[in-house]
Amino acid sequence: MEVGFLGLGIMGKAMAINLLRHGFKVTVWNRTLSKCEELVQNGASVGETPATVVKKCKYTIAMLSDPSAALSVVFDKNGVLEHINGKAYIDMSTVDADTSSKISEAIKAKGGYFLEAPVSGSKKPAEDGQLIILAAGDKALYEEALPAFDVLGKKSFFLGEVGNGAKMKLVVNMIMGSMINAFSEGLTLAERSGLNPGTLLDVLDLGAISNGMFKLKGPTMLQNSYSPAFPLKHQQKDMRLALALGDENAVSMPVAAAANEAFKKARSMGLGDLDFSAVHETLKVPDHSS
Ligand SMILES: NC(=O)C1=CN([C@@H]2O[C@H](COP(=O)(O)OP(=O)(O)OC[C@H]3O[C@@H](n4cnc5c(N)ncnc54)[C@H](OP(=O)(O)O)[C@@H]3O)[C@@H](O)[C@H]2O)C=CC1
Ligand SMILES: O=CCCC(=O)O
């Protein structure tokens, strides 16, 4: 199976390498061209623009930072739309349902096929082919894409009409962003009240709220180490988009709103490119209010 791959950031690079390792022929494109070099060393070809990749490949996957990047790669000059007639486009970026629907409508109007397929799971699951794929849109395309999804992920869900994958992803990340803030507050409270936060990690791990994220991020947060697996700026984008979904549906989300403020504060402190667990640093800023 020959696939195109647009966007070689933390996730896209790992996913494209995985496809190559499993025998897929992959043609890559990235806005910053130098990031294609490592993929070429792994056997990929390079396309000069999104349009040339789509022209060459029957299926093209995208993994881009946010709604504005996802729209630009499709609609701009030399973008996906130029050669989409008869071709398939699978956008795995985390965006909102409106963005996904705009892309879907434009692609279908030009005679192409569209599936949204955002993922749960971060850098390591991407490297290991252990993502959770949240697909929606063209069911026939979903079935054709399963050989690729089986390499990229441990489980794929088909969620119905375009937008449902985006919404599911935003709900999951809204929960995750709220949880990391509660966790960070707990670590800080333990430390400031004279407890050993390492012992708190052990206690949490034995109880009902034990989870993979606390296990993975707890030790590195205690070391103030935030090498990016999931960049904080993307987590804040997901909180913002999830809160907008809450607005549309009149769902009150005070916990998520507070978590979003913490991520915004972290971004204002210049931490946007670090891992999302760097939100922990916001609690270290002295509070002069008392
Ligand atoms: N990291 C993670 O753990 C996870 C991330 N996601 C989601 O996956 C997507 C990618 O995340 P991740 O790989 O971490 O992000 P990165 O920031 O590492 O990569 C972003 C990619 O988008 C490209 N890009 C950004 N703006 C534009 C633009 N205007 N035009 C074209 N290309 C653009 C970047 O190109 P360039 O190299 O030129 O900057 C890069 O290839 C995001 O939507 C994120 O929310 C989903 C699950 C987990
Ligand atoms: O969008 C990023 C999600 C990260 C994760 O699921 O661990």
Side-chain angles (χ1 to χ4, degrees):
M1 193 172 176
E2 177 151 12
V3 296
F5 207 106
L6 312 179
L8 302 173
I10 292 172
M11 295 297 282
K13 174 182 146 185
M15 292 159 75
I17 288 179
N18 224 352
L19 289 169
L20 285 162
R21 278 200 198 116
H22 285 83
F24 286 77
K25 285 186 180 166
V26 183
T27 300
V28 297
W29 172 85
N30 193 66
R31 179 182 61 174
T32 308
L33 207 62
S34 57
K35 289 195 192 166
C36 296
E37 281 162 22
E38 191 178 342
L39 274 291
V40 170
Q41 284 161 19
N42 281 272
S45 310
V46 179
E48 280 174 12
T49 64
T52 54
V53 173
V54 170
K55 188 174 183 187
K56 184 175 173 199
C57 305
K58 185 171 176 197
Y59 304 94
T60 296
I61 295 173
M63 193 53 163
L64 301 158
S65 52
D66 54 20
S68 128
L71 291 167
S72 154
V73 163
V74 171
F75 289 96
D76 285 1
K77 189 168 184 304
N78 297 319
V80 166
L81 279 186
E82 292 188 10
H83 290 293
I84 201 65
N85 185 20
K87 302 294 180 79
Y89 188 61
I90 303 171
D91 193 348
M92 303 187 79
S93 322
T94 304
V95 297
D96 56 304
D98 275 0
T99 298
S100 211
S101 297
K102 265 184 208 144
I103 293 172
S104 173
E105 290 311 313
I107 284 179
K108 284 196 288 187
K110 292 256 182 184
Y113 304 90
F114 178 74
L115 191 70
E116 64 179 6
V119 300
S120 229
S122 191
K123 185 179 176 193
K124 181 81 167 63
E127 287 168 351
D128 297 343
Q130 293 292 305
L131 296 169
I132 302 155
I133 295 166
L134 307 171
D138 189 318
K139 182 79 191 289
L141 174 54
Y142 170 73
E143 273 151 20
E144 286 172 47
L146 280 175
F149 289 167
D150 287 345
V151 164
L152 298 172
K154 62 180 174 187
K155 171 84 182 166
S156 299
F157 291 86
F158 183 77
L159 300 169
E161 64 186 35
V162 168
N164 286 350
K167 289 179 199 167
M168 181 66 84
K169 174 63 186 164
L170 293 177
V171 171
V172 171
N173 273 28
M174 181 275 283
I175 297 170
M176 192 176 81
S178 300
M179 278 174 66
I180 197 93
N181 275 283
F183 184 48
S184 169
E185 288 177 10
L187 291 175
T188 306
L189 181 61
E191 198 162 20
R192 299 250 181 101
S193 61
L195 296 172
N196 180 341
T199 309
L200 171 65
L201 295 184
D202 294 339
V203 172
L204 287 173
D205 194 35
L206 289 166
I209 59 169
S210 164
N211 68 77
M213 183 176 76
F214 289 179
K215 249 186 166 72
L216 187 69
K217 301 294 179 187
T220 48
M221 286 163 80
L222 292 184
Q223 289 162 13
N224 311 320
S225 165
Y226 309 110
S227 169
F230 179 34
L232 187 143
K233 63 186 175 192
H234 295 332
Q235 171 68 85
Q236 197 265 316
K237 170 255 305 177
D238 295 348
M239 296 307 286
R240 174 168 53 81
L241 298 177
L243 286 166
L245 186 61
D247 283 356
E248 277 167 40
N249 291 283
V251 177
S252 171
M253 302 197 298
V255 175
N260 185 42
E261 290 304 315
F263 287 119
K264 278 159 60 180
K265 182 169 176 185
R267 279 184 59 197
S268 78
M269 290 165 63
L271 307 176
D273 290 325
L274 297 182
D275 191 66
F276 75 119
S277 53
V279 74
H280 192 42
E281 290 296 306
T282 60
L283 296 176
K284 297 179 186 168
V285 179
D287 181 359
H288 299 296
S289 60
S290 55

